Amino acid sequence: MKRVIVTFVSVVISVSLSFGQKAIEVEKTGSGTPVIFLPGFGTPGAVWNETVQNLAGSFESHLVTYAGFNGLAPIGTPWYAPIKDELIAYVKLQGLTNVTLVGHSMGGNLAVDLAAALPEQISGLILVESIPCMRELMMPGVPASSLQYDSPYNNQMIEMSDEAFRQMAEGMCSNMTLNVSKAEVLTGYFMKADRKTYVYGYTDLLKLDLRESLREISIPTLILGAPFPDKNVVLDNYEKQYANLTTKNIIIAENSKHFIMFDQPTWLYEHINKYLSQHAN
């Protein structure tokens, strides 16, 4: 794989809500065709650092971090919708066109929302370990209306001690990557998160169902998944969840958990670079 190493200056841009609070912070590096990197829930744009360093070509990378995570002040509830709105505003404010979106997990949900809302500006879509309706897989048959911020489970999470939360985070992160050192990094991200953002933001995610929004997207979409816990089950879930997306290519990695960029980085770089070489012109 051809590798281009570029020395660049990072520029951090904050986009604020009307009352002054930042919904997102963006680190912009490099120059060329714009690519917006959207991390998953609880993680900062920095999870994409190695991916950006291994891009083969000239790209202006925009690494997004969300309010309530990585030291950014929380914005309260609802949480997901303001972030989506500020990302749309960011693309317009920066005058970006011919944009490729690369989203991991929840970042893929935001990428779908942006692609549907900005068809003239978004020309490429790469979704990494992202499902348009997590609730359907995790809580089949449960309506979004039944999920509330004020619930026994959420209240228990809010009141959980830091030590108990750390133990939970360590167990969760060890199930999301095969890379032990990266699991420790992920645990640190979750421990740094604003607790209410973590709890209530996840409720927002469980309410999401973007399967109908997929009908509004016609650009070529690359969907990259991990085989954990079973490759055939994962592939079947992707096929069902993305049935309304007309132009898609679903590829499943080998020997990886949720954070493919940590478990199979070279594989991920190759597929992203191949997509960009074909579609980001």
Side-chain angles (χ1 to χ4, degrees):
M1 179 182 71
K2 180 181 178 183
R3 179 175 176 180
V4 177
I5 301 176
V6 182
T7 302
F8 47 71
V9 177
S10 298
V11 178
V12 176
I13 301 170
S14 297
V15 180
S16 299
L17 300 171
S18 58
F19 47 88
Q21 290 177 280
K22 295 184 292 185
I24 61 172
E25 186 172 86
V26 184
E27 180 183 5
K28 184 166 69 171
T29 64
S31 61
T33 305
V35 182
I36 298 178
F37 289 89
L38 300 160
F41 186 76
T43 60
V47 298
W48 291 114
N49 281 348
E50 290 90 346
T51 303
V52 170
Q53 292 164 8
N54 283 275
L55 292 178
S58 298
F59 298 99
E60 181 181 81
S61 298
H62 303 249
L63 283 74
V64 178
T65 298
Y66 314 123
F69 297 133
N70 205 44
L72 296 189
I75 57 172
T77 56
W79 176 79
Y80 179 90
I83 289 172
K84 176 190 71 175
D85 292 343
E86 294 305 323
L87 280 168
I88 292 171
Y90 177 81
V91 172
K92 294 178 178 178
L93 181 67
Q94 294 290 308
L96 302 179
T97 58
N98 193 27
V99 179
T100 296
L101 303 173
V102 183
H104 176 247
S105 195
M106 184 204 79
N109 299 141
L110 287 165
V112 167
D113 268 328
L114 264 66
L118 301 170
E120 298 302 317
Q121 289 96 331
I122 308 302
S123 59
L125 192 58
I126 301 175
L127 308 175
V128 182
E129 270 287 285
S130 182
I131 290 291
C133 184
M134 293 193 307
R135 185 182 70 258
E136 184 61 29
L137 293 184
M138 299 174 64
M139 310 165 69
V142 175
S145 59
S146 69
L147 302 177
Q148 305 296 327
Y149 296 129
D150 186 7
S151 69
Y153 177 78
N154 281 358
N155 293 337
Q156 179 184 13
M157 291 285 289
I158 293 291
E159 296 167 3
M160 187 180 290
S161 70
D162 286 347
E163 180 56 32
F165 188 84
R166 174 177 289 278
Q167 291 179 8
M168 181 200 72
E170 288 176 345
M172 180 176 61
C173 293
S174 68
N175 280 323
M176 292 195 293
T177 177
L178 299 168
N179 187 318
V180 175
S181 64
K182 290 295 187 180
E184 294 174 355
V185 171
L186 290 175
T187 298
Y189 289 146
F190 289 125
M191 290 304 299
K192 194 174 182 179
D194 172 71
R195 184 70 64 83
K196 289 185 178 179
T197 298
Y198 180 89
V199 174
Y200 300 148
Y202 200 75
T203 299
D204 282 354
L205 294 189
L206 288 174
K207 286 176 171 285
L208 281 182
D209 187 349
L210 302 178
R211 287 175 291 184
E212 285 302 313
S213 297
L214 297 172
R215 299 183 188 277
E216 304 172 33
I217 299 173
S218 58
I219 56 177
T221 302
L222 175 62
I223 301 169
L224 302 176
F228 185 81
D230 180 86
K231 182 176 182 179
N232 291 329
V233 172
V234 168
L235 184 57
D236 184 60
N237 285 334
Y238 276 119
E239 292 285 0
K240 289 177 180 176
Q241 288 257 328
Y242 286 100
N244 292 331
L245 188 61
T246 55
T247 308
K248 60 182 178 289
N249 183 19
I250 302 172
I251 307 174
I252 307 298
E254 298 293 339
N255 196 33
S256 178
K257 291 187 176 181
H258 188 54
F259 281 83
I260 300 177
M261 66 278 284
F262 298 155
D263 293 350
Q264 293 292 342
T266 300
W267 182 92
L268 182 70
Y269 306 154
E270 289 175 350
H271 283 287
I272 289 178
N273 281 320
K274 181 179 179 181
Y275 179 93
L276 292 174
S277 70
Q278 294 174 341
H279 302 290
N281 299 315

